[in-house]
Amino acid sequence: MQLSNEELKVEIDRLKKKLDVTVVAHFYQRDEVFEIADITGDSLELAMRTKADDSEFVLFCGVGFMGQSVKVLSPQKRVVMPKIACCAMARMIDSLYFDDSVKFLNDNGIKSEDILPITYINSNADVKAKVGEMGGMVCTSSNAKTIITKALEEGKKILFVPDRCLGQNIANQMGLKSMIIGQEGDPKECDILCYDGFCSVHQLFTVDDIAFYRKKFPGILIATHPECDPTICDASDFVGSTSQLIKYIADLPVDQKVAVGTEFNLVNRLRQKNTYVLSSTKPECPTMNETTLEDVYITLKAIEDGAPINEIEVEDKTQKWAKIALERMLAL
Ligand code: 13P
Ligand code: SF4
């Protein structure tokens, strides 16, 4: 018999009280899932707060790389995911594509020892491990500028994977020269070499959407996530991670209109009035939306029954190097 959402919430509450489990959810989760979480936040906050949590089980509602990062940072924890949904951007790169990018730079006269790789946290553990082995580190949308500033002190070329938009946006903010690997340009002339990956959800926002809102509501502010195309971020009043966007909007006067360029569930939850989704389509993240309340219940029930499902495992060598790459970020 199928339980209603109200019945599921009661059961989830009972299981959470009984089991040694912390439920974690990213802002892009469906509202009903987000509401039952113990820890919520942007990617960086989730990585840090979950690392500090001491429950035996972490039930992670998000996309695969997020649950994997918890397991990498705290291998003693048992991490389960109601849906092991893979972020579309993380799926665009694996360790072989990473090696190809290094080879491309080598073929263009840049030696491996002169490359410092940085991977956006939206990548799988095998890519983080490659980055860690080459002396590089992880960044998130909220700390990318700090991490790149630090990395540049080594005087090397930065290989930034997998998000070309985040890489280019930070380069533009810092007045650095960037190019997308495989596209026109001389890599030797650039500070940041970006892998050609992107988020399909954040590609939905267009300059026409911005023009439409600016014309319709003179004085409106445009706030966007740095996974949006540089043309969008350059035309925005504020660019920030999910947490930074939430704070920026919360601090605005109630009558200030703002159009927000990030995932639908987050924007829809922001404010009752004067907040608009910066798109003519509904920018939902399909994989974040896969997790339902019923999935959470089934996953908790499996722990209660002593047979956890969808448990995250990371192979030892990958875990070791991916952890080093993540910890270099956390140390900063
Ligand atoms: P944040 O780190 O800003 O939460 O972003 C995660 C993400 O996947 C955005 O698409
Ligand atoms: Fe990945 Fe984009 Fe979804 Fe974020 S919004 S989880 S980057 S597919």
Side-chain angles (χ1 to χ4, degrees), residues 156-191:
K156 297 185 179 183
K157 300 278 180 206
I158 291 177
L159 167 59
F160 191 87
V161 303
D163 188 7
R164 65 169 187 232
C165 294
L166 181 61
Q168 288 177 297
N169 281 322
I170 300 294
N172 291 351
Q173 258 184 47
M174 296 176 67
L176 300 169
K177 220 169 161 218
S178 65
M179 69 170 266
I180 298 171
I181 291 177
Q183 293 192 6
E184 214 174 300
D186 179 0
K188 289 203 289 304
E189 298 291 308
C190 296
D191 309 292

PDB file of all heavy atoms in Angstrom, residues 156-191:
ATOM      1  N   LYS A 156      52.031  28.393 -11.640  1.00  0.00           N
ATOM      2  CA  LYS A 156      51.773  27.390 -12.683  1.00  0.00           C
ATOM      3  C   LYS A 156      50.522  27.745 -13.484  1.00  0.00           C
ATOM      4  O   LYS A 156      49.742  28.600 -13.085  1.00  0.00           O
ATOM      5  CB  LYS A 156      51.584  26.019 -12.012  1.00  0.00           C
ATOM      6  CG  LYS A 156      52.817  25.541 -11.280  1.00  0.00           C
ATOM      7  CD  LYS A 156      52.617  24.141 -10.739  1.00  0.00           C
ATOM      8  CE  LYS A 156      53.887  23.682 -10.028  1.00  0.00           C
ATOM      9  NZ  LYS A 156      53.782  22.308  -9.543  1.00  0.00           N
ATOM     10  N   LYS A 157      50.345  27.019 -14.598  1.00  0.00           N
ATOM     11  CA  LYS A 157      49.101  27.145 -15.366  1.00  0.00           C
ATOM     12  C   LYS A 157      48.029  26.353 -14.632  1.00  0.00           C
ATOM     13  O   LYS A 157      48.291  25.239 -14.162  1.00  0.00           O
ATOM     14  CB  LYS A 157      49.250  26.528 -16.761  1.00  0.00           C
ATOM     15  CG  LYS A 157      50.331  27.173 -17.591  1.00  0.00           C
ATOM     16  CD  LYS A 157      49.818  28.439 -18.246  1.00  0.00           C
ATOM     17  CE  LYS A 157      50.890  29.090 -19.091  1.00  0.00           C
ATOM     18  NZ  LYS A 157      50.684  30.528 -19.240  1.00  0.00           N
ATOM     19  N   ILE A 158      46.827  26.884 -14.579  1.00  0.00           N
ATOM     20  CA  ILE A 158      45.756  26.158 -13.899  1.00  0.00           C
ATOM     21  C   ILE A 158      44.914  25.401 -14.921  1.00  0.00           C
ATOM     22  O   ILE A 158      44.415  25.981 -15.884  1.00  0.00           O
ATOM     23  CB  ILE A 158      44.893  27.110 -13.063  1.00  0.00           C
ATOM     24  CG1 ILE A 158      45.755  27.598 -11.895  1.00  0.00           C
ATOM     25  CG2 ILE A 158      43.629  26.423 -12.560  1.00  0.00           C
ATOM     26  CD1 ILE A 158      45.117  28.587 -11.012  1.00  0.00           C
ATOM     27  N   LEU A 159      44.803  24.093 -14.686  1.00  0.00           N
ATOM     28  CA  LEU A 159      43.886  23.282 -15.486  1.00  0.00           C
ATOM     29  C   LEU A 159      42.613  23.172 -14.661  1.00  0.00           C
ATOM     30  O   LEU A 159      42.627  22.578 -13.573  1.00  0.00           O
ATOM     31  CB  LEU A 159      44.500  21.895 -15.745  1.00  0.00           C
ATOM     32  CG  LEU A 159      43.540  20.829 -16.299  1.00  0.00           C
ATOM     33  CD1 LEU A 159      42.928  21.254 -17.624  1.00  0.00           C
ATOM     34  CD2 LEU A 159      44.275  19.492 -16.467  1.00  0.00           C
ATOM     35  N   PHE A 160      41.538  23.784 -15.139  1.00  0.00           N
ATOM     36  CA  PHE A 160      40.300  23.838 -14.353  1.00  0.00           C
ATOM     37  C   PHE A 160      39.264  22.896 -14.975  1.00  0.00           C
ATOM     38  O   PHE A 160      38.886  23.064 -16.136  1.00  0.00           O
ATOM     39  CB  PHE A 160      39.763  25.280 -14.325  1.00  0.00           C
ATOM     40  CG  PHE A 160      38.660  25.469 -13.326  1.00  0.00           C
ATOM     41  CD1 PHE A 160      38.947  25.786 -12.002  1.00  0.00           C
ATOM     42  CD2 PHE A 160      37.330  25.283 -13.685  1.00  0.00           C
ATOM     43  CE1 PHE A 160      37.924  25.928 -11.065  1.00  0.00           C
ATOM     44  CE2 PHE A 160      36.307  25.426 -12.754  1.00  0.00           C
ATOM     45  CZ  PHE A 160      36.610  25.741 -11.446  1.00  0.00           C
ATOM     46  N   VAL A 161      38.804  21.915 -14.192  1.00  0.00           N
ATOM     47  CA  VAL A 161      37.813  20.955 -14.698  1.00  0.00           C
ATOM     48  C   VAL A 161      36.648  20.870 -13.714  1.00  0.00           C
ATOM     49  O   VAL A 161      36.822  21.144 -12.531  1.00  0.00           O
ATOM     50  CB  VAL A 161      38.455  19.548 -14.876  1.00  0.00           C
ATOM     51  CG1 VAL A 161      39.640  19.598 -15.803  1.00  0.00           C
ATOM     52  CG2 VAL A 161      38.860  18.909 -13.546  1.00  0.00           C
ATOM     53  N   PRO A 162      35.445  20.382 -14.099  1.00  0.00           N
ATOM     54  CA  PRO A 162      35.014  20.221 -15.480  1.00  0.00           C
ATOM     55  C   PRO A 162      34.222  21.431 -15.987  1.00  0.00           C
ATOM     56  O   PRO A 162      33.842  21.437 -17.146  1.00  0.00           O
ATOM     57  CB  PRO A 162      34.088  18.995 -15.404  1.00  0.00           C
ATOM     58  CG  PRO A 162      33.519  19.000 -14.028  1.00  0.00           C
ATOM     59  CD  PRO A 162      34.500  19.752 -13.151  1.00  0.00           C
ATOM     60  N   ASP A 163      33.961  22.449 -15.128  1.00  0.00           N
ATOM     61  CA  ASP A 163      33.009  23.502 -15.533  1.00  0.00           C
ATOM     62  C   ASP A 163      33.694  24.685 -16.206  1.00  0.00           C
ATOM     63  O   ASP A 163      34.303  25.528 -15.542  1.00  0.00           O
ATOM     64  CB  ASP A 163      32.224  23.987 -14.298  1.00  0.00           C
ATOM     65  CG  ASP A 163      31.086  24.926 -14.691  1.00  0.00           C
ATOM     66  OD1 ASP A 163      30.843  25.088 -15.900  1.00  0.00           O
ATOM     67  OD2 ASP A 163      30.450  25.492 -13.783  1.00  0.00           O
ATOM     68  N   ARG A 164      33.532  24.761 -17.525  1.00  0.00           N
ATOM     69  CA  ARG A 164      34.156  25.876 -18.269  1.00  0.00           C
ATOM     70  C   ARG A 164      33.586  27.222 -17.813  1.00  0.00           C
ATOM     71  O   ARG A 164      34.292  28.227 -17.815  1.00  0.00           O
ATOM     72  CB  ARG A 164      33.927  25.697 -19.775  1.00  0.00           C
ATOM     73  CG  ARG A 164      32.472  25.777 -20.185  1.00  0.00           C
ATOM     74  CD  ARG A 164      32.256  25.854 -21.683  1.00  0.00           C
ATOM     75  NE  ARG A 164      30.854  26.098 -21.947  1.00  0.00           N
ATOM     76  CZ  ARG A 164      30.095  25.384 -22.767  1.00  0.00           C
ATOM     77  NH1 ARG A 164      30.615  24.367 -23.420  1.00  0.00           N
ATOM     78  NH2 ARG A 164      28.833  25.684 -22.939  1.00  0.00           N
ATOM     79  N   CYS A 165      32.309  27.248 -17.403  1.00  0.00           N
ATOM     80  CA  CYS A 165      31.701  28.529 -17.040  1.00  0.00           C
ATOM     81  C   CYS A 165      32.280  29.053 -15.733  1.00  0.00           C
ATOM     82  O   CYS A 165      32.679  30.222 -15.647  1.00  0.00           O
ATOM     83  CB  CYS A 165      30.185  28.397 -16.921  1.00  0.00           C
ATOM     84  SG  CYS A 165      29.413  28.019 -18.489  1.00  0.00           S
ATOM     85  N   LEU A 166      32.334  28.197 -14.710  1.00  0.00           N
ATOM     86  CA  LEU A 166      32.903  28.638 -13.429  1.00  0.00           C
ATOM     87  C   LEU A 166      34.355  29.089 -13.647  1.00  0.00           C
ATOM     88  O   LEU A 166      34.770  30.149 -13.154  1.00  0.00           O
ATOM     89  CB  LEU A 166      32.825  27.507 -12.387  1.00  0.00           C
ATOM     90  CG  LEU A 166      33.370  27.840 -11.006  1.00  0.00           C
ATOM     91  CD1 LEU A 166      32.602  28.997 -10.358  1.00  0.00           C
ATOM     92  CD2 LEU A 166      33.323  26.615 -10.076  1.00  0.00           C
ATOM     93  N   GLY A 167      35.119  28.312 -14.399  1.00  0.00           N
ATOM     94  CA  GLY A 167      36.523  28.668 -14.660  1.00  0.00           C
ATOM     95  C   GLY A 167      36.633  30.023 -15.336  1.00  0.00           C
ATOM     96  O   GLY A 167      37.423  30.889 -14.915  1.00  0.00           O
ATOM     97  N   GLN A 168      35.815  30.234 -16.368  1.00  0.00           N
ATOM     98  CA  GLN A 168      35.899  31.508 -17.101  1.00  0.00           C
ATOM     99  C   GLN A 168      35.368  32.671 -16.259  1.00  0.00           C
ATOM    100  O   GLN A 168      35.907  33.773 -16.310  1.00  0.00           O
ATOM    101  CB  GLN A 168      35.067  31.427 -18.380  1.00  0.00           C
ATOM    102  CG  GLN A 168      35.683  30.551 -19.459  1.00  0.00           C
ATOM    103  CD  GLN A 168      34.741  30.480 -20.655  1.00  0.00           C
ATOM    104  OE1 GLN A 168      33.625  29.991 -20.558  1.00  0.00           O
ATOM    105  NE2 GLN A 168      35.191  30.991 -21.771  1.00  0.00           N
ATOM    106  N   ASN A 169      34.318  32.417 -15.482  1.00  0.00           N
ATOM    107  CA  ASN A 169      33.755  33.500 -14.654  1.00  0.00           C
ATOM    108  C   ASN A 169      34.761  33.986 -13.620  1.00  0.00           C
ATOM    109  O   ASN A 169      34.907  35.191 -13.395  1.00  0.00           O
ATOM    110  CB  ASN A 169      32.465  33.027 -13.969  1.00  0.00           C
ATOM    111  CG  ASN A 169      31.288  33.065 -14.931  1.00  0.00           C
ATOM    112  OD1 ASN A 169      31.177  33.975 -15.751  1.00  0.00           O
ATOM    113  ND2 ASN A 169      30.420  32.074 -14.859  1.00  0.00           N
ATOM    114  N   ILE A 170      35.466  33.033 -12.999  1.00  0.00           N
ATOM    115  CA  ILE A 170      36.463  33.444 -12.005  1.00  0.00           C
ATOM    116  C   ILE A 170      37.619  34.165 -12.705  1.00  0.00           C
ATOM    117  O   ILE A 170      38.115  35.193 -12.218  1.00  0.00           O
ATOM    118  CB  ILE A 170      36.984  32.225 -11.199  1.00  0.00           C
ATOM    119  CG1 ILE A 170      35.826  31.537 -10.459  1.00  0.00           C
ATOM    120  CG2 ILE A 170      38.096  32.630 -10.233  1.00  0.00           C
ATOM    121  CD1 ILE A 170      35.179  32.341  -9.371  1.00  0.00           C
ATOM    122  N   ALA A 171      38.039  33.642 -13.858  1.00  0.00           N
ATOM    123  CA  ALA A 171      39.123  34.301 -14.606  1.00  0.00           C
ATOM    124  C   ALA A 171      38.718  35.744 -14.936  1.00  0.00           C
ATOM    125  O   ALA A 171      39.507  36.680 -14.736  1.00  0.00           O
ATOM    126  CB  ALA A 171      39.432  33.522 -15.883  1.00  0.00           C
ATOM    127  N   ASN A 172      37.470  35.935 -15.406  1.00  0.00           N
ATOM    128  CA  ASN A 172      37.010  37.296 -15.748  1.00  0.00           C
ATOM    129  C   ASN A 172      37.021  38.200 -14.522  1.00  0.00           C
ATOM    130  O   ASN A 172      37.470  39.344 -14.589  1.00  0.00           O
ATOM    131  CB  ASN A 172      35.590  37.249 -16.339  1.00  0.00           C
ATOM    132  CG  ASN A 172      35.578  36.594 -17.705  1.00  0.00           C
ATOM    133  OD1 ASN A 172      36.634  36.330 -18.277  1.00  0.00           O
ATOM    134  ND2 ASN A 172      34.392  36.299 -18.224  1.00  0.00           N
ATOM    135  N   GLN A 173      36.510  37.657 -13.387  1.00  0.00           N
ATOM    136  CA  GLN A 173      36.467  38.451 -12.137  1.00  0.00           C
ATOM    137  C   GLN A 173      37.859  38.898 -11.715  1.00  0.00           C
ATOM    138  O   GLN A 173      38.042  39.974 -11.170  1.00  0.00           O
ATOM    139  CB  GLN A 173      35.961  37.557 -11.009  1.00  0.00           C
ATOM    140  CG  GLN A 173      34.529  37.756 -10.616  1.00  0.00           C
ATOM    141  CD  GLN A 173      34.220  36.850  -9.426  1.00  0.00           C
ATOM    142  OE1 GLN A 173      34.974  36.779  -8.454  1.00  0.00           O
ATOM    143  NE2 GLN A 173      33.109  36.144  -9.516  1.00  0.00           N
ATOM    144  N   MET A 174      38.853  38.011 -11.948  1.00  0.00           N
ATOM    145  CA  MET A 174      40.203  38.295 -11.452  1.00  0.00           C
ATOM    146  C   MET A 174      41.090  38.937 -12.514  1.00  0.00           C
ATOM    147  O   MET A 174      42.279  39.160 -12.278  1.00  0.00           O
ATOM    148  CB  MET A 174      40.861  36.991 -10.957  1.00  0.00           C
ATOM    149  CG  MET A 174      40.135  36.384  -9.778  1.00  0.00           C
ATOM    150  SD  MET A 174      40.851  34.805  -9.272  1.00  0.00           S
ATOM    151  CE  MET A 174      42.452  35.291  -8.663  1.00  0.00           C
ATOM    152  N   GLY A 175      40.517  39.199 -13.686  1.00  0.00           N
ATOM    153  CA  GLY A 175      41.310  39.804 -14.772  1.00  0.00           C
ATOM    154  C   GLY A 175      42.370  38.859 -15.311  1.00  0.00           C
ATOM    155  O   GLY A 175      43.430  39.298 -15.766  1.00  0.00           O
ATOM    156  N   LEU A 176      42.081  37.551 -15.295  1.00  0.00           N
ATOM    157  CA  LEU A 176      43.039  36.561 -15.801  1.00  0.00           C
ATOM    158  C   LEU A 176      42.631  36.128 -17.206  1.00  0.00           C
ATOM    159  O   LEU A 176      41.464  36.247 -17.595  1.00  0.00           O
ATOM    160  CB  LEU A 176      43.059  35.331 -14.881  1.00  0.00           C
ATOM    161  CG  LEU A 176      43.463  35.591 -13.430  1.00  0.00           C
ATOM    162  CD1 LEU A 176      43.183  34.359 -12.579  1.00  0.00           C
ATOM    163  CD2 LEU A 176      44.937  35.976 -13.344  1.00  0.00           C
ATOM    164  N   LYS A 177      43.602  35.572 -17.939  1.00  0.00           N
ATOM    165  CA  LYS A 177      43.308  35.117 -19.299  1.00  0.00           C
ATOM    166  C   LYS A 177      42.955  33.628 -19.266  1.00  0.00           C
ATOM    167  O   LYS A 177      43.676  32.826 -18.648  1.00  0.00           O
ATOM    168  CB  LYS A 177      44.545  35.347 -20.176  1.00  0.00           C
ATOM    169  CG  LYS A 177      44.147  35.840 -21.525  1.00  0.00           C
ATOM    170  CD  LYS A 177      45.279  36.345 -22.354  1.00  0.00           C
ATOM    171  CE  LYS A 177      44.758  36.319 -23.777  1.00  0.00           C
ATOM    172  NZ  LYS A 177      45.671  35.947 -24.776  1.00  0.00           N
ATOM    173  N   SER A 178      41.832  33.280 -19.908  1.00  0.00           N
ATOM    174  CA  SER A 178      41.432  31.868 -19.902  1.00  0.00           C
ATOM    175  C   SER A 178      41.081  31.423 -21.314  1.00  0.00           C
ATOM    176  O   SER A 178      40.827  32.252 -22.192  1.00  0.00           O
ATOM    177  CB  SER A 178      40.209  31.678 -19.002  1.00  0.00           C
ATOM    178  OG  SER A 178      39.099  32.357 -19.542  1.00  0.00           O
ATOM    179  N   MET A 179      41.105  30.115 -21.518  1.00  0.00           N
ATOM    180  CA  MET A 179      40.578  29.568 -22.780  1.00  0.00           C
ATOM    181  C   MET A 179      39.985  28.194 -22.505  1.00  0.00           C
ATOM    182  O   MET A 179      40.280  27.568 -21.481  1.00  0.00           O
ATOM    183  CB  MET A 179      41.651  29.503 -23.875  1.00  0.00           C
ATOM    184  CG  MET A 179      42.737  28.493 -23.635  1.00  0.00           C
ATOM    185  SD  MET A 179      43.803  28.256 -25.096  1.00  0.00           S
ATOM    186  CE  MET A 179      43.017  26.846 -25.889  1.00  0.00           C
ATOM    187  N   ILE A 180      39.130  27.761 -23.425  1.00  0.00           N
ATOM    188  CA  ILE A 180      38.540  26.427 -23.291  1.00  0.00           C
ATOM    189  C   ILE A 180      39.394  25.461 -24.097  1.00  0.00           C
ATOM    190  O   ILE A 180      39.706  25.723 -25.267  1.00  0.00           O
ATOM    191  CB  ILE A 180      37.083  26.430 -23.805  1.00  0.00           C
ATOM    192  CG1 ILE A 180      36.255  27.399 -22.957  1.00  0.00           C
ATOM    193  CG2 ILE A 180      36.489  25.028 -23.761  1.00  0.00           C
ATOM    194  CD1 ILE A 180      34.867  27.659 -23.479  1.00  0.00           C
ATOM    195  N   ILE A 181      39.790  24.375 -23.451  1.00  0.00           N
ATOM    196  CA  ILE A 181      40.664  23.399 -24.106  1.00  0.00           C
ATOM    197  C   ILE A 181      40.013  22.893 -25.391  1.00  0.00           C
ATOM    198  O   ILE A 181      38.844  22.517 -25.402  1.00  0.00           O
ATOM    199  CB  ILE A 181      40.968  22.241 -23.135  1.00  0.00           C
ATOM    200  CG1 ILE A 181      41.863  22.768 -22.017  1.00  0.00           C
ATOM    201  CG2 ILE A 181      41.589  21.052 -23.849  1.00  0.00           C
ATOM    202  CD1 ILE A 181      42.188  21.780 -20.953  1.00  0.00           C
ATOM    203  N   GLY A 182      40.782  22.931 -26.469  1.00  0.00           N
ATOM    204  CA  GLY A 182      40.265  22.454 -27.754  1.00  0.00           C
ATOM    205  C   GLY A 182      39.722  23.590 -28.609  1.00  0.00           C
ATOM    206  O   GLY A 182      39.486  23.407 -29.796  1.00  0.00           O
ATOM    207  N   GLN A 183      39.494  24.742 -27.992  1.00  0.00           N
ATOM    208  CA  GLN A 183      39.010  25.878 -28.793  1.00  0.00           C
ATOM    209  C   GLN A 183      40.178  26.793 -29.159  1.00  0.00           C
ATOM    210  O   GLN A 183      41.299  26.579 -28.710  1.00  0.00           O
ATOM    211  CB  GLN A 183      37.917  26.624 -28.035  1.00  0.00           C
ATOM    212  CG  GLN A 183      36.672  25.736 -27.886  1.00  0.00           C
ATOM    213  CD  GLN A 183      35.458  26.503 -27.407  1.00  0.00           C
ATOM    214  OE1 GLN A 183      35.476  27.715 -27.276  1.00  0.00           O
ATOM    215  NE2 GLN A 183      34.399  25.765 -27.134  1.00  0.00           N
ATOM    216  N   GLU A 184      39.855  27.792 -29.950  1.00  0.00           N
ATOM    217  CA  GLU A 184      40.915  28.662 -30.456  1.00  0.00           C
ATOM    218  C   GLU A 184      41.699  29.351 -29.335  1.00  0.00           C
ATOM    219  O   GLU A 184      41.105  29.747 -28.330  1.00  0.00           O
ATOM    220  CB  GLU A 184      40.283  29.735 -31.339  1.00  0.00           C
ATOM    221  CG  GLU A 184      41.181  30.118 -32.498  1.00  0.00           C
ATOM    222  CD  GLU A 184      40.453  31.080 -33.420  1.00  0.00           C
ATOM    223  OE1 GLU A 184      39.394  30.688 -33.960  1.00  0.00           O
ATOM    224  OE2 GLU A 184      40.948  32.204 -33.536  1.00  0.00           O
ATOM    225  N   GLY A 185      42.987  29.481 -29.509  1.00  0.00           N
ATOM    226  CA  GLY A 185      43.799  30.186 -28.516  1.00  0.00           C
ATOM    227  C   GLY A 185      45.096  29.456 -28.258  1.00  0.00           C
ATOM    228  O   GLY A 185      45.228  28.274 -28.581  1.00  0.00           O
ATOM    229  N   ASP A 186      46.055  30.172 -27.665  1.00  0.00           N
ATOM    230  CA  ASP A 186      47.340  29.547 -27.330  1.00  0.00           C
ATOM    231  C   ASP A 186      47.367  29.313 -25.826  1.00  0.00           C
ATOM    232  O   ASP A 186      47.433  30.275 -25.043  1.00  0.00           O
ATOM    233  CB  ASP A 186      48.481  30.481 -27.769  1.00  0.00           C
ATOM    234  CG  ASP A 186      49.861  29.907 -27.422  1.00  0.00           C
ATOM    235  OD1 ASP A 186      49.906  28.795 -26.839  1.00  0.00           O
ATOM    236  OD2 ASP A 186      50.869  30.569 -27.726  1.00  0.00           O
ATOM    237  N   PRO A 187      47.336  28.042 -25.396  1.00  0.00           N
ATOM    238  CA  PRO A 187      47.308  27.758 -23.961  1.00  0.00           C
ATOM    239  C   PRO A 187      48.467  28.410 -23.203  1.00  0.00           C
ATOM    240  O   PRO A 187      48.317  28.780 -22.040  1.00  0.00           O
ATOM    241  CB  PRO A 187      47.417  26.230 -23.883  1.00  0.00           C
ATOM    242  CG  PRO A 187      47.067  25.724 -25.228  1.00  0.00           C
ATOM    243  CD  PRO A 187      47.344  26.824 -26.207  1.00  0.00           C
ATOM    244  N   LYS A 188      49.610  28.572 -23.894  1.00  0.00           N
ATOM    245  CA  LYS A 188      50.777  29.142 -23.207  1.00  0.00           C
ATOM    246  C   LYS A 188      50.540  30.601 -22.806  1.00  0.00           C
ATOM    247  O   LYS A 188      51.173  31.129 -21.914  1.00  0.00           O
ATOM    248  CB  LYS A 188      52.027  29.040 -24.095  1.00  0.00           C
ATOM    249  CG  LYS A 188      52.541  27.605 -24.248  1.00  0.00           C
ATOM    250  CD  LYS A 188      53.994  27.527 -24.620  1.00  0.00           C
ATOM    251  CE  LYS A 188      54.288  27.969 -26.028  1.00  0.00           C
ATOM    252  NZ  LYS A 188      53.557  27.293 -27.107  1.00  0.00           N
ATOM    253  N   GLU A 189      49.586  31.244 -23.510  1.00  0.00           N
ATOM    254  CA  GLU A 189      49.277  32.661 -23.228  1.00  0.00           C
ATOM    255  C   GLU A 189      48.260  32.826 -22.091  1.00  0.00           C
ATOM    256  O   GLU A 189      47.929  33.941 -21.706  1.00  0.00           O
ATOM    257  CB  GLU A 189      48.676  33.313 -24.484  1.00  0.00           C
ATOM    258  CG  GLU A 189      49.597  33.349 -25.703  1.00  0.00           C
ATOM    259  CD  GLU A 189      50.745  34.306 -25.483  1.00  0.00           C
ATOM    260  OE1 GLU A 189      50.479  35.460 -25.126  1.00  0.00           O
ATOM    261  OE2 GLU A 189      51.907  33.874 -25.620  1.00  0.00           O
ATOM    262  N   CYS A 190      47.694  31.696 -21.632  1.00  0.00           N
ATOM    263  CA  CYS A 190      46.573  31.780 -20.685  1.00  0.00           C
ATOM    264  C   CYS A 190      46.981  31.384 -19.270  1.00  0.00           C
ATOM    265  O   CYS A 190      47.920  30.612 -19.074  1.00  0.00           O
ATOM    266  CB  CYS A 190      45.441  30.857 -21.128  1.00  0.00           C
ATOM    267  SG  CYS A 190      44.747  31.369 -22.694  1.00  0.00           S
ATOM    268  N   ASP A 191      46.236  31.920 -18.288  1.00  0.00           N
ATOM    269  CA  ASP A 191      46.472  31.550 -16.887  1.00  0.00           C
ATOM    270  C   ASP A 191      45.627  30.322 -16.520  1.00  0.00           C
ATOM    271  O   ASP A 191      46.042  29.475 -15.752  1.00  0.00           O
ATOM    272  CB  ASP A 191      46.061  32.698 -15.947  1.00  0.00           C
ATOM    273  CG  ASP A 191      46.686  34.011 -16.357  1.00  0.00           C
ATOM    274  OD1 ASP A 191      47.918  34.120 -16.226  1.00  0.00           O
ATOM    275  OD2 ASP A 191      45.965  34.916 -16.833  1.00  0.00           O
TER     276      ASP A 191
END
